[in-house]
Amino acid sequence: MACGTSSNSGDTSSGSTPGTTTGAGNGGAAKVAVDQVPVGNAVVIAGPKPYVVAQPTAGKFVAFDASCTHRGTTVAASEGLTLECPAHGSRFDGATGAVERGPAASPLAAVPVRREGDQLLVG
Ligand code: FES
């Protein structure tokens, strides 16, 4: 499926809202290319509202609000599906959002993700 080189990988211009959403005009959706989320990995999509997207098993995508449930720091992808908060070291399972290590006590909040062609729309 990898035909063609990536032309636009992550336009991170701040403040500009793309006006080209197809279908759901819900303004807050983030986009990431499917091939940036390999099977067995979780990635963090930076943006005005950061999200975590993961592909725990082939073809299955899940997404979460990337704000740590301890004090709101944006979590970072660690190894594989593990997410770690740089602030106080909480760890989360990127497949389920569940807490693996405190001090966070609540799981990451799940958000909708859907596939559109070779893109994932999150939020
Ligand atoms: S804000 Fe994430 S562990 Fe404290």
Side-chain angles (χ1 to χ4, degrees), residues 68-73 75 85-90 92 102-104:
C68 179
T69 54
H70 180 226
R71 297 214 182 136
T73 300
V75 299
C85 178
H88 313 101
S90 287
F92 300 90

Side-chain angles (χ1 to χ4, degrees), residues 3-119:
C3 53
T5 54
S6 61
S7 48
N8 52 351
S9 57
D11 177 9
T12 53
S13 53
S14 55
S16 70
T17 309
T20 54
T21 43
T22 47
N26 137 14
K31 257 189 192 183
V32 63
V34 171
D35 59 11
Q36 288 185 8
V37 188
V39 179
N41 283 269
V43 300
V44 176
I45 311 176
K49 183 163 176 49
Y51 293 107
V52 171
V53 190
Q55 187 177 185
T57 56
K60 180 180 192 292
F61 295 94
V62 294
F64 304 92
D65 185 326
S67 300
C68 179
T69 54
H70 180 226
R71 297 214 182 136
T73 300
T74 300
V75 299
S78 182
E79 275 201 39
L81 289 165
T82 303
L83 300 158
E84 187 159 336
C85 178
H88 313 101
S90 287
R91 275 200 192 167
F92 300 90
D93 180 344
T96 63
V99 176
E100 289 185 340
R101 185 175 75 191
S106 313
L108 296 176
V111 297
V113 55
R114 67 196 163 88
R115 183 171 184 164
E116 232 172 57
D118 59 359
Q119 300 280 315

